[in-house]
Amino acid sequence: MIEQQSPQDYLDDLHAIGVTSLFQPHLTTRDRAAGIRRVRQELGRMRTELTLHRDAFSENGSGMSADEAKRRAAPLNLLLLLHEQLVEEVGDLERSLSSGKPLPYRFEFGRFIFGDVETGEWFVGGQEQYDDWLHIQQFKRRLDALRQKGQPAREQLIGLRGELEALTAEHDKTQAKIESRQKRAFVVRRLGMLVILIAASGTVGLYYWNTQRDFSLVALGLTAVCALLIPIVIANWKNPRTRTARRQRKLEAQILELRQEGAQHRQSYQPLELQIKALEVHYNRMMDNWEAARLVKNRLDTFIEEGQPLRERVESIRAELEDLRQQRDKLLRKLERRQKRGAFARRMILHLLLVLASGALGFYLHYKGEQDYASVMYGLGAFCILLVPLAYIDWKNRDGKLESNLRKIETRMLQLQTEGKQVMKRYHPIELQIKTLIAQYKRTRAGITESNESPALF
């Protein structure tokens, strides 16, 4: 079954088709043409098998997430990319044969397909690249083992850091309260409130002394209590041994203890952390040096980013030009209709017919004795007579407005075309570079390399 075949089996089948053998110089033209027909048939069959196998992950993968299906289909997508490049190479060979040009350079593609199932990164390469990949994977397993070993200490340090941040925030909040209590305004506000209460309750007590003796005694008692609280408030303000200060000292002791504990854990974890960072740097350097396609992709992204504003400006110019072109065509059709022979005469005849119709209808109404209606129709006829010179003036002015708008549109189109040529002059080299890098990226990603043998002339 197709589902049981591995990506390596498909790559072996692609090699067995013999695409590279078509570029051998000793083949005759007849044998090469027959080989091209056979290779095209086999490549078509391989594409069908690869596409069906890839689509099976998304169609029949019950319980499989979209990301997992994408990772499972990653090697097949890479093989389809290789298949696309092989078809292009065969097409280049056919074009060279039909035009009588020399044979293209021979090429090779990797014998092994390898990658990481978890990340979905797959590559096609030769024996040397395959051995390098195995070495990198061994190095990665060592790095993962160190990360797993340091995970408990890292989690403990994160927990201590979070607890220390919480205690620090509480310490800052308590410190703000202490600083607020030490300000003179703090005690002044409280003494002011007590003085106001003393004055209010004393006034109430004296006012109700003769009428409501019990209520008056309560008010005077409140006055005495407030008076006794004044020295207590002053003493409490000057005494630093408050409950807030004790809580502050307790928080400082806890923070100090956590910092000491964190320093101990950090001291034990730091060598492992430095080792992990060093291995990560070395691993990333190995991947960058080994994966040539990533370097090409970085250059490609740089050119795409550089050309993005220019491409957007070109697209906006094209859209505006298309809109202006439609407006220009519409104005040209209007001018063409207005400038046709007899167009103005037809409009004048229409006005004269209105005058005659109004006059005839007015005469008929006058004959019938409908003087009021007849006067209205005579007035309408006179109005239509006055419209004749106005229609002529409007006709001439309208032509001038249409021609003015047409000149504005054509001037704007000329400006846009000039600007578009300048932008394309800057964008065209970037676009060519992008297309070249895309082709290079596809070939590198598919594992295709040029052979050292020179092309043969025939």
Side-chain angles (χ1 to χ4, degrees):
M1 296 178 61
I2 295 178
E3 290 78 8
Q4 295 177 351
Q5 285 188 334
S6 65
Q8 185 61 48
D9 294 333
Y10 284 120
L11 183 60
D12 294 339
D13 291 342
L14 287 174
H15 277 282
I17 291 175
V19 178
T20 56
S21 63
L22 297 176
F23 294 80
Q24 295 178 359
H26 60 79
L27 290 178
T28 62
T29 304
R30 184 176 181 179
D31 292 340
R32 204 185 307 276
I36 289 174
R37 289 194 298 271
R38 179 188 59 81
V39 165
R40 282 198 173 277
Q41 293 176 356
E42 292 296 324
L43 287 175
R45 178 185 60 81
M46 284 293 300
R47 179 173 180 79
T48 302
E49 293 182 4
L50 287 170
T51 304
L52 290 175
H53 194 173
R54 181 196 61 184
D55 296 341
F57 290 113
S58 57
E59 295 175 357
N60 301 326
S62 57
M64 187 183 300
S65 64
D67 292 338
E68 184 178 358
K70 184 178 179 180
R71 290 194 301 269
R72 295 283 297 276
L76 300 176
N77 287 325
L78 180 58
L79 290 173
L80 284 171
L81 177 61
L82 173 60
H83 177 278
E84 177 187 346
Q85 297 302 308
L86 294 178
V87 171
E88 290 184 3
E89 294 292 342
V90 175
D92 292 340
L93 178 60
E94 281 186 317
R95 287 188 289 272
S96 298
L97 291 175
S98 61
S99 60
K101 295 180 179 179
L103 283 177
Y105 282 92
R106 294 188 59 184
F107 69 95
E108 299 174 353
F109 59 97
R111 291 280 178 178
F112 299 94
I113 180 170
F114 46 88
D116 191 352
V117 179
E118 296 180 357
T119 60
E121 294 182 351
W122 288 81
F123 310 94
V124 174
Q127 183 67 50
E128 182 179 357
Q129 291 176 315
Y130 181 62
D131 295 338
D132 291 341
W133 173 257
L134 293 178
H135 175 66
I136 290 174
Q137 292 307 300
Q138 292 177 357
F139 193 87
K140 185 175 181 295
R141 285 192 292 270
R142 179 186 171 192
L143 179 59
D144 293 339
L146 287 177
R147 288 173 177 169
Q148 186 176 3
K149 181 180 178 181
Q151 184 67 23
R154 189 184 304 110
E155 292 178 353
Q156 193 169 7
L157 279 174
I158 293 173
L160 289 174
R161 189 178 295 113
E163 188 176 355
L164 182 61
E165 289 177 356
L167 288 176
T168 303
E170 189 175 358
H171 175 272
D172 294 340
K173 186 177 180 181
T174 308
Q175 183 65 30
K177 287 183 179 180
I178 293 175
E179 292 176 356
S180 177
R181 286 179 61 89
Q182 292 175 353
K183 292 180 180 179
R184 186 178 298 275
F186 177 82
V187 69
V188 169
R189 285 195 301 268
R190 279 155 180 76
L191 291 176
M193 291 175 60
L194 290 175
V195 170
I196 293 172
L197 286 174
I198 290 171
S201 56
T203 303
V204 172
L206 293 175
Y207 181 79
Y208 290 102
W209 178 261
N210 295 322
T211 57
Q212 297 181 9
R213 184 62 59 86
D214 295 338
F215 181 72
S216 177
L217 290 174
V218 171
L220 293 174
L222 179 61
T223 302
V225 171
C226 291
L228 292 175
L229 285 177
I230 290 177
I232 296 175
V233 169
I234 295 174
N236 188 31
W237 176 59
K238 292 184 177 181
N239 184 16
R241 297 181 179 180
T242 60
R243 184 172 58 184
T244 306
R246 288 195 299 270
R247 179 168 179 78
Q248 181 75 345
R249 289 191 293 271
K250 184 179 179 180
L251 288 173
E252 290 175 353
Q254 291 178 352
I255 290 174
L256 181 60
E257 183 179 355
L258 280 177
R259 285 177 177 174
Q260 291 175 354
E261 185 178 357
Q264 293 176 358
H265 283 287
R266 194 178 297 106
Q267 187 176 3
S268 60
Y269 174 67
Q270 190 174 15
L272 184 61
E273 183 182 20
L274 293 176
Q275 188 176 3
I276 290 174
K277 289 182 178 179
L279 290 179
E280 286 177 347
V281 172
H282 186 52
Y283 173 74
N284 293 330
R285 188 181 297 115
M286 290 172 62
M287 288 295 296
D288 291 338
N289 292 336
W290 179 80
E291 189 184 351
R294 180 178 297 178
L295 300 178
V296 177
K297 183 65 165 56
N298 291 337
R299 291 182 58 200
L300 177 60
D301 293 339
T302 302
F303 278 101
I304 290 176
E305 184 179 0
E306 181 182 354
Q308 183 66 23
L310 298 176
R311 182 166 57 253
E312 292 177 354
R313 182 55 186 157
V314 168
E315 292 176 356
S316 65
I317 289 175
R318 287 174 179 171
E320 189 174 355
L321 272 175
E322 183 63 26
D323 185 43
L324 291 175
R325 191 174 290 111
Q326 293 177 0
Q327 296 181 20
R328 184 193 63 182
D329 295 340
K330 187 176 179 180
L331 288 175
L332 287 174
R333 287 194 297 269
K334 282 185 178 181
L335 285 172
E336 185 178 356
R337 287 197 303 268
R338 294 176 67 86
Q339 292 174 358
K340 282 183 178 179
R341 189 173 183 179
F344 179 71
R346 285 194 297 270
R347 175 166 291 196
M348 293 297 102
I349 291 172
L350 176 62
H351 282 283
L352 292 176
L353 289 176
L354 288 174
V355 171
L356 293 175
S358 300
L361 185 58
F363 178 78
Y364 176 76
L365 292 173
H366 181 75
Y367 177 77
K368 291 291 185 180
E370 301 289 341
Q371 301 296 331
D372 295 336
Y373 293 108
S375 299
V376 172
M377 297 309 299
Y378 286 145
L380 181 61
F383 179 74
C384 291
I385 291 175
L386 293 176
L387 285 180
V388 172
L390 294 177
Y392 176 77
I393 295 173
D394 178 69
W395 181 272
K396 292 297 183 181
N397 291 337
R398 183 62 176 169
D399 285 345
K401 289 181 180 179
L402 290 176
E403 292 175 356
S404 176
N405 292 336
L406 181 61
R407 287 193 297 271
K408 289 180 181 179
I409 290 175
E410 290 178 345
T411 302
R412 179 57 182 166
M413 290 179 64
L414 182 60
Q415 292 176 353
L416 288 175
Q417 289 172 353
T418 304
E419 183 183 358
K421 290 179 181 178
Q422 294 176 355
V423 175
M424 282 302 299
K425 188 176 181 180
R426 295 165 54 196
Y427 176 65
H428 187 63
I430 299 177
E431 185 181 23
L432 293 178
Q433 190 69 27
I434 289 174
K435 291 180 179 179
T436 303
L437 288 175
I438 289 175
Q440 183 181 357
Y441 173 74
K442 288 182 176 181
R443 289 176 61 86
T444 307
R445 190 75 179 86
I448 294 179
T449 57
E450 291 186 356
S451 176
N452 294 327
E453 298 181 12
S454 60
L457 299 175
F458 63 95

